[in-house]
Amino acid sequence: MKTSESINEIAKALAQFQSEVKQPEKDGTNPHFKSKYVTLDGTVKSIHECAPKHGLSYTQMPVSNESGVGVVTVIFHTSGQFIEFDPFILPLDKKTAQGVGSGLTYSKRYALSAAFGIVSDVDDDGNEATDNAPQNPPKQASSKQVGMIKAKVLEYAKLRGRTPQDVYKVLNITMTDLETLSSKDASDMIKTVDGWINKAKDEQQGA
């Protein structure tokens, strides 16, 4: 967490806000766990109805790392004071546009509720996150593995008289996507290209 040099004014404003804010209704339903929770829209509406009169505003900036996506939440006060909270990152089960969008929505709601003291979840609604995201995110491919794939793809391309791009097409991946591979997927790809290289060498020796 980062803050301005002094937080006396923003702390006072937050205390007043939390004593007056109307907790939003739980208008979202989790059918899997048969529970209700406050949606992001409900959380934002509740904050906007009370925060400005106390000189409070906020911003949320999307962030990402090898584990997933999330947000950094910063609360500002008209005095110039601020509180920047640590990033809240949610692991992704699928690296798709839909998966990223869902992860960001959940991250925004959770982080914003925690920052302003909004009660947005029932006690067990955290299960929604554990159900949608893996308990142990897959280990990212190492730079050594990525380098090995590139070297083997180049070797195989030369053996077959083709370009590396041709080989990547067969592997159904682009060179830039190599950085997003899991360690296991990278290892499997190395074994696959290794098999192709050995087969190509055997064919050349037998010719």
PDB file of all heavy atoms in Angstrom, residues 62-89:
ATOM      1  N   PRO A  62      -6.240  -1.338 -14.627  1.00  0.00           N
ATOM      2  CA  PRO A  62      -6.012  -2.766 -14.864  1.00  0.00           C
ATOM      3  C   PRO A  62      -4.528  -3.105 -14.843  1.00  0.00           C
ATOM      4  O   PRO A  62      -3.693  -2.323 -15.315  1.00  0.00           O
ATOM      5  CB  PRO A  62      -6.617  -2.985 -16.254  1.00  0.00           C
ATOM      6  CG  PRO A  62      -6.565  -1.646 -16.910  1.00  0.00           C
ATOM      7  CD  PRO A  62      -6.767  -0.650 -15.813  1.00  0.00           C
ATOM      8  N   VAL A  63      -4.209  -4.250 -14.273  1.00  0.00           N
ATOM      9  CA  VAL A  63      -2.829  -4.739 -14.237  1.00  0.00           C
ATOM     10  C   VAL A  63      -2.851  -6.230 -14.564  1.00  0.00           C
ATOM     11  O   VAL A  63      -3.896  -6.888 -14.476  1.00  0.00           O
ATOM     12  CB  VAL A  63      -2.160  -4.522 -12.858  1.00  0.00           C
ATOM     13  CG1 VAL A  63      -1.983  -3.055 -12.566  1.00  0.00           C
ATOM     14  CG2 VAL A  63      -2.983  -5.185 -11.750  1.00  0.00           C
ATOM     15  N   SER A  64      -1.713  -6.767 -14.921  1.00  0.00           N
ATOM     16  CA  SER A  64      -1.613  -8.198 -15.200  1.00  0.00           C
ATOM     17  C   SER A  64      -0.204  -8.690 -14.922  1.00  0.00           C
ATOM     18  O   SER A  64       0.747  -7.909 -14.910  1.00  0.00           O
ATOM     19  CB  SER A  64      -1.995  -8.490 -16.660  1.00  0.00           C
ATOM     20  OG  SER A  64      -1.071  -7.870 -17.544  1.00  0.00           O
ATOM     21  N   ASN A  65      -0.094  -9.976 -14.673  1.00  0.00           N
ATOM     22  CA  ASN A  65       1.213 -10.618 -14.556  1.00  0.00           C
ATOM     23  C   ASN A  65       1.078 -12.042 -15.060  1.00  0.00           C
ATOM     24  O   ASN A  65       0.067 -12.395 -15.682  1.00  0.00           O
ATOM     25  CB  ASN A  65       1.737 -10.575 -13.106  1.00  0.00           C
ATOM     26  CG  ASN A  65       0.804 -11.266 -12.121  1.00  0.00           C
ATOM     27  OD1 ASN A  65      -0.012 -12.126 -12.501  1.00  0.00           O
ATOM     28  ND2 ASN A  65       0.906 -10.925 -10.852  1.00  0.00           N
ATOM     29  N   GLU A  66       2.077 -12.879 -14.814  1.00  0.00           N
ATOM     30  CA  GLU A  66       2.031 -14.241 -15.337  1.00  0.00           C
ATOM     31  C   GLU A  66       0.924 -15.077 -14.710  1.00  0.00           C
ATOM     32  O   GLU A  66       0.529 -16.115 -15.245  1.00  0.00           O
ATOM     33  CB  GLU A  66       3.387 -14.933 -15.117  1.00  0.00           C
ATOM     34  CG  GLU A  66       3.774 -15.167 -13.670  1.00  0.00           C
ATOM     35  CD  GLU A  66       4.385 -13.944 -13.004  1.00  0.00           C
ATOM     36  OE1 GLU A  66       4.479 -12.891 -13.674  1.00  0.00           O
ATOM     37  OE2 GLU A  66       4.753 -14.043 -11.832  1.00  0.00           O
ATOM     38  N   SER A  67       0.395 -14.632 -13.568  1.00  0.00           N
ATOM     39  CA  SER A  67      -0.652 -15.394 -12.880  1.00  0.00           C
ATOM     40  C   SER A  67      -2.055 -15.059 -13.350  1.00  0.00           C
ATOM     41  O   SER A  67      -2.941 -15.912 -13.347  1.00  0.00           O
ATOM     42  CB  SER A  67      -0.563 -15.157 -11.368  1.00  0.00           C
ATOM     43  OG  SER A  67       0.678 -15.585 -10.860  1.00  0.00           O
ATOM     44  N   GLY A  68      -2.303 -13.817 -13.727  1.00  0.00           N
ATOM     45  CA  GLY A  68      -3.654 -13.436 -14.115  1.00  0.00           C
ATOM     46  C   GLY A  68      -3.804 -11.941 -14.309  1.00  0.00           C
ATOM     47  O   GLY A  68      -2.840 -11.243 -14.617  1.00  0.00           O
ATOM     48  N   VAL A  69      -5.026 -11.444 -14.100  1.00  0.00           N
ATOM     49  CA  VAL A  69      -5.319 -10.024 -14.282  1.00  0.00           C
ATOM     50  C   VAL A  69      -5.977  -9.469 -13.027  1.00  0.00           C
ATOM     51  O   VAL A  69      -6.506 -10.219 -12.212  1.00  0.00           O
ATOM     52  CB  VAL A  69      -6.247  -9.778 -15.491  1.00  0.00           C
ATOM     53  CG1 VAL A  69      -5.595 -10.230 -16.777  1.00  0.00           C
ATOM     54  CG2 VAL A  69      -7.590 -10.492 -15.283  1.00  0.00           C
ATOM     55  N   GLY A  70      -5.945  -8.151 -12.896  1.00  0.00           N
ATOM     56  CA  GLY A  70      -6.564  -7.542 -11.728  1.00  0.00           C
ATOM     57  C   GLY A  70      -6.536  -6.038 -11.829  1.00  0.00           C
ATOM     58  O   GLY A  70      -6.420  -5.483 -12.930  1.00  0.00           O
ATOM     59  N   VAL A  71      -6.628  -5.377 -10.686  1.00  0.00           N
ATOM     60  CA  VAL A  71      -6.669  -3.917 -10.669  1.00  0.00           C
ATOM     61  C   VAL A  71      -5.867  -3.358  -9.498  1.00  0.00           C
ATOM     62  O   VAL A  71      -5.643  -4.038  -8.494  1.00  0.00           O
ATOM     63  CB  VAL A  71      -8.122  -3.390 -10.551  1.00  0.00           C
ATOM     64  CG1 VAL A  71      -8.922  -3.728 -11.785  1.00  0.00           C
ATOM     65  CG2 VAL A  71      -8.790  -3.931  -9.296  1.00  0.00           C
ATOM     66  N   VAL A  72      -5.446  -2.116  -9.679  1.00  0.00           N
ATOM     67  CA  VAL A  72      -4.891  -1.315  -8.592  1.00  0.00           C
ATOM     68  C   VAL A  72      -5.922  -0.232  -8.305  1.00  0.00           C
ATOM     69  O   VAL A  72      -6.340   0.488  -9.213  1.00  0.00           O
ATOM     70  CB  VAL A  72      -3.554  -0.663  -8.980  1.00  0.00           C
ATOM     71  CG1 VAL A  72      -3.132   0.349  -7.916  1.00  0.00           C
ATOM     72  CG2 VAL A  72      -2.478  -1.728  -9.139  1.00  0.00           C
ATOM     73  N   THR A  73      -6.368  -0.132  -7.058  1.00  0.00           N
ATOM     74  CA  THR A  73      -7.380   0.844  -6.672  1.00  0.00           C
ATOM     75  C   THR A  73      -6.734   1.987  -5.895  1.00  0.00           C
ATOM     76  O   THR A  73      -5.972   1.746  -4.961  1.00  0.00           O
ATOM     77  CB  THR A  73      -8.465   0.183  -5.797  1.00  0.00           C
ATOM     78  OG1 THR A  73      -9.068  -0.885  -6.535  1.00  0.00           O
ATOM     79  CG2 THR A  73      -9.540   1.189  -5.404  1.00  0.00           C
ATOM     80  N   VAL A  74      -7.050   3.218  -6.310  1.00  0.00           N
ATOM     81  CA  VAL A  74      -6.527   4.408  -5.632  1.00  0.00           C
ATOM     82  C   VAL A  74      -7.702   5.288  -5.223  1.00  0.00           C
ATOM     83  O   VAL A  74      -8.556   5.607  -6.040  1.00  0.00           O
ATOM     84  CB  VAL A  74      -5.578   5.221  -6.534  1.00  0.00           C
ATOM     85  CG1 VAL A  74      -4.935   6.353  -5.728  1.00  0.00           C
ATOM     86  CG2 VAL A  74      -4.511   4.330  -7.154  1.00  0.00           C
ATOM     87  N   ILE A  75      -7.757   5.672  -3.927  1.00  0.00           N
ATOM     88  CA  ILE A  75      -8.773   6.592  -3.434  1.00  0.00           C
ATOM     89  C   ILE A  75      -8.140   7.970  -3.259  1.00  0.00           C
ATOM     90  O   ILE A  75      -7.067   8.096  -2.661  1.00  0.00           O
ATOM     91  CB  ILE A  75      -9.367   6.115  -2.092  1.00  0.00           C
ATOM     92  CG1 ILE A  75     -10.026   4.745  -2.260  1.00  0.00           C
ATOM     93  CG2 ILE A  75     -10.386   7.118  -1.569  1.00  0.00           C
ATOM     94  CD1 ILE A  75     -10.608   4.198  -0.963  1.00  0.00           C
ATOM     95  N   PHE A  76      -8.808   9.008  -3.767  1.00  0.00           N
ATOM     96  CA  PHE A  76      -8.312  10.385  -3.679  1.00  0.00           C
ATOM     97  C   PHE A  76      -9.230  11.220  -2.793  1.00  0.00           C
ATOM     98  O   PHE A  76     -10.429  10.930  -2.668  1.00  0.00           O
ATOM     99  CB  PHE A  76      -8.271  11.027  -5.068  1.00  0.00           C
ATOM    100  CG  PHE A  76      -7.420  10.314  -6.067  1.00  0.00           C
ATOM    101  CD1 PHE A  76      -8.000   9.464  -7.009  1.00  0.00           C
ATOM    102  CD2 PHE A  76      -6.044  10.473  -6.078  1.00  0.00           C
ATOM    103  CE1 PHE A  76      -7.220   8.800  -7.939  1.00  0.00           C
ATOM    104  CE2 PHE A  76      -5.253   9.818  -7.005  1.00  0.00           C
ATOM    105  CZ  PHE A  76      -5.840   8.969  -7.936  1.00  0.00           C
ATOM    106  N   HIS A  77      -8.646  12.261  -2.203  1.00  0.00           N
ATOM    107  CA  HIS A  77      -9.427  13.214  -1.417  1.00  0.00           C
ATOM    108  C   HIS A  77      -9.146  14.609  -1.955  1.00  0.00           C
ATOM    109  O   HIS A  77      -8.065  14.879  -2.501  1.00  0.00           O
ATOM    110  CB  HIS A  77      -9.049  13.128   0.068  1.00  0.00           C
ATOM    111  CG  HIS A  77      -9.902  13.983   0.953  1.00  0.00           C
ATOM    112  ND1 HIS A  77      -9.450  15.161   1.523  1.00  0.00           N
ATOM    113  CD2 HIS A  77     -11.191  13.840   1.347  1.00  0.00           C
ATOM    114  CE1 HIS A  77     -10.425  15.689   2.240  1.00  0.00           C
ATOM    115  NE2 HIS A  77     -11.490  14.918   2.152  1.00  0.00           N
ATOM    116  N   THR A  78     -10.117  15.500  -1.834  1.00  0.00           N
ATOM    117  CA  THR A  78      -9.967  16.856  -2.374  1.00  0.00           C
ATOM    118  C   THR A  78      -8.810  17.619  -1.733  1.00  0.00           C
ATOM    119  O   THR A  78      -8.340  18.629  -2.272  1.00  0.00           O
ATOM    120  CB  THR A  78     -11.267  17.661  -2.163  1.00  0.00           C
ATOM    121  OG1 THR A  78     -11.688  17.538  -0.799  1.00  0.00           O
ATOM    122  CG2 THR A  78     -12.373  17.151  -3.075  1.00  0.00           C
ATOM    123  N   SER A  79      -8.315  17.142  -0.591  1.00  0.00           N
ATOM    124  CA  SER A  79      -7.159  17.766   0.067  1.00  0.00           C
ATOM    125  C   SER A  79      -5.861  17.461  -0.670  1.00  0.00           C
ATOM    126  O   SER A  79      -4.827  18.060  -0.398  1.00  0.00           O
ATOM    127  CB  SER A  79      -7.042  17.265   1.511  1.00  0.00           C
ATOM    128  OG  SER A  79      -6.780  15.867   1.523  1.00  0.00           O
ATOM    129  N   GLY A  80      -5.925  16.517  -1.596  1.00  0.00           N
ATOM    130  CA  GLY A  80      -4.720  16.085  -2.308  1.00  0.00           C
ATOM    131  C   GLY A  80      -4.144  14.801  -1.750  1.00  0.00           C
ATOM    132  O   GLY A  80      -3.209  14.231  -2.321  1.00  0.00           O
ATOM    133  N   GLN A  81      -4.684  14.328  -0.648  1.00  0.00           N
ATOM    134  CA  GLN A  81      -4.210  13.073  -0.054  1.00  0.00           C
ATOM    135  C   GLN A  81      -4.775  11.880  -0.827  1.00  0.00           C
ATOM    136  O   GLN A  81      -5.828  11.979  -1.461  1.00  0.00           O
ATOM    137  CB  GLN A  81      -4.610  13.014   1.423  1.00  0.00           C
ATOM    138  CG  GLN A  81      -3.966  14.105   2.261  1.00  0.00           C
ATOM    139  CD  GLN A  81      -4.425  14.070   3.702  1.00  0.00           C
ATOM    140  OE1 GLN A  81      -5.222  13.244   4.119  1.00  0.00           O
ATOM    141  NE2 GLN A  81      -3.906  15.009   4.504  1.00  0.00           N
ATOM    142  N   PHE A  82      -4.058  10.757  -0.739  1.00  0.00           N
ATOM    143  CA  PHE A  82      -4.514   9.563  -1.463  1.00  0.00           C
ATOM    144  C   PHE A  82      -4.071   8.292  -0.732  1.00  0.00           C
ATOM    145  O   PHE A  82      -3.144   8.308   0.091  1.00  0.00           O
ATOM    146  CB  PHE A  82      -3.952   9.548  -2.888  1.00  0.00           C
ATOM    147  CG  PHE A  82      -2.462   9.294  -2.953  1.00  0.00           C
ATOM    148  CD1 PHE A  82      -1.945   7.996  -3.041  1.00  0.00           C
ATOM    149  CD2 PHE A  82      -1.562  10.353  -2.920  1.00  0.00           C
ATOM    150  CE1 PHE A  82      -0.581   7.769  -3.090  1.00  0.00           C
ATOM    151  CE2 PHE A  82      -0.186  10.133  -2.966  1.00  0.00           C
ATOM    152  CZ  PHE A  82       0.303   8.835  -3.049  1.00  0.00           C
ATOM    153  N   ILE A  83      -4.738   7.204  -1.070  1.00  0.00           N
ATOM    154  CA  ILE A  83      -4.352   5.867  -0.594  1.00  0.00           C
ATOM    155  C   ILE A  83      -4.376   4.942  -1.810  1.00  0.00           C
ATOM    156  O   ILE A  83      -5.409   4.808  -2.471  1.00  0.00           O
ATOM    157  CB  ILE A  83      -5.322   5.314   0.474  1.00  0.00           C
ATOM    158  CG1 ILE A  83      -5.324   6.216   1.707  1.00  0.00           C
ATOM    159  CG2 ILE A  83      -4.931   3.891   0.861  1.00  0.00           C
ATOM    160  CD1 ILE A  83      -6.348   5.798   2.764  1.00  0.00           C
ATOM    161  N   GLU A  84      -3.247   4.336  -2.122  1.00  0.00           N
ATOM    162  CA  GLU A  84      -3.151   3.384  -3.236  1.00  0.00           C
ATOM    163  C   GLU A  84      -3.003   1.974  -2.663  1.00  0.00           C
ATOM    164  O   GLU A  84      -2.056   1.679  -1.952  1.00  0.00           O
ATOM    165  CB  GLU A  84      -1.958   3.708  -4.136  1.00  0.00           C
ATOM    166  CG  GLU A  84      -1.799   2.729  -5.288  1.00  0.00           C
ATOM    167  CD  GLU A  84      -0.622   3.061  -6.180  1.00  0.00           C
ATOM    168  OE1 GLU A  84      -0.341   4.279  -6.375  1.00  0.00           O
ATOM    169  OE2 GLU A  84       0.033   2.124  -6.671  1.00  0.00           O
ATOM    170  N   PHE A  85      -3.948   1.123  -2.980  1.00  0.00           N
ATOM    171  CA  PHE A  85      -3.945  -0.230  -2.461  1.00  0.00           C
ATOM    172  C   PHE A  85      -3.102  -1.155  -3.336  1.00  0.00           C
ATOM    173  O   PHE A  85      -2.907  -0.898  -4.527  1.00  0.00           O
ATOM    174  CB  PHE A  85      -5.379  -0.775  -2.367  1.00  0.00           C
ATOM    175  CG  PHE A  85      -6.234  -0.018  -1.387  1.00  0.00           C
ATOM    176  CD1 PHE A  85      -6.916   1.129  -1.774  1.00  0.00           C
ATOM    177  CD2 PHE A  85      -6.335  -0.435  -0.070  1.00  0.00           C
ATOM    178  CE1 PHE A  85      -7.690   1.843  -0.878  1.00  0.00           C
ATOM    179  CE2 PHE A  85      -7.100   0.279   0.845  1.00  0.00           C
ATOM    180  CZ  PHE A  85      -7.782   1.414   0.439  1.00  0.00           C
ATOM    181  N   ASP A  86      -2.610  -2.226  -2.742  1.00  0.00           N
ATOM    182  CA  ASP A  86      -1.817  -3.195  -3.495  1.00  0.00           C
ATOM    183  C   ASP A  86      -2.678  -3.840  -4.584  1.00  0.00           C
ATOM    184  O   ASP A  86      -3.904  -3.940  -4.434  1.00  0.00           O
ATOM    185  CB  ASP A  86      -1.280  -4.285  -2.563  1.00  0.00           C
ATOM    186  CG  ASP A  86      -0.258  -3.745  -1.578  1.00  0.00           C
ATOM    187  OD1 ASP A  86       0.381  -2.732  -1.895  1.00  0.00           O
ATOM    188  OD2 ASP A  86      -0.119  -4.326  -0.488  1.00  0.00           O
ATOM    189  N   PRO A  87      -2.071  -4.302  -5.675  1.00  0.00           N
ATOM    190  CA  PRO A  87      -2.840  -4.927  -6.754  1.00  0.00           C
ATOM    191  C   PRO A  87      -3.606  -6.151  -6.256  1.00  0.00           C
ATOM    192  O   PRO A  87      -3.094  -6.929  -5.438  1.00  0.00           O
ATOM    193  CB  PRO A  87      -1.758  -5.341  -7.762  1.00  0.00           C
ATOM    194  CG  PRO A  87      -0.603  -4.451  -7.472  1.00  0.00           C
ATOM    195  CD  PRO A  87      -0.629  -4.226  -5.995  1.00  0.00           C
ATOM    196  N   PHE A  88      -4.829  -6.285  -6.741  1.00  0.00           N
ATOM    197  CA  PHE A  88      -5.594  -7.500  -6.489  1.00  0.00           C
ATOM    198  C   PHE A  88      -5.612  -8.280  -7.799  1.00  0.00           C
ATOM    199  O   PHE A  88      -6.196  -7.850  -8.783  1.00  0.00           O
ATOM    200  CB  PHE A  88      -7.024  -7.179  -6.040  1.00  0.00           C
ATOM    201  CG  PHE A  88      -7.882  -8.407  -5.894  1.00  0.00           C
ATOM    202  CD1 PHE A  88      -7.729  -9.235  -4.801  1.00  0.00           C
ATOM    203  CD2 PHE A  88      -8.818  -8.736  -6.860  1.00  0.00           C
ATOM    204  CE1 PHE A  88      -8.498 -10.384  -4.667  1.00  0.00           C
ATOM    205  CE2 PHE A  88      -9.589  -9.877  -6.734  1.00  0.00           C
ATOM    206  CZ  PHE A  88      -9.429 -10.709  -5.636  1.00  0.00           C
ATOM    207  N   ILE A  89      -4.942  -9.425  -7.818  1.00  0.00           N
ATOM    208  CA  ILE A  89      -4.806 -10.234  -9.032  1.00  0.00           C
ATOM    209  C   ILE A  89      -5.641 -11.501  -8.910  1.00  0.00           C
ATOM    210  O   ILE A  89      -5.579 -12.208  -7.902  1.00  0.00           O
ATOM    211  CB  ILE A  89      -3.335 -10.631  -9.275  1.00  0.00           C
ATOM    212  CG1 ILE A  89      -2.448  -9.383  -9.369  1.00  0.00           C
ATOM    213  CG2 ILE A  89      -3.217 -11.490 -10.536  1.00  0.00           C
ATOM    214  CD1 ILE A  89      -2.690  -8.536 -10.584  1.00  0.00           C
TER     215      ILE A  89
END
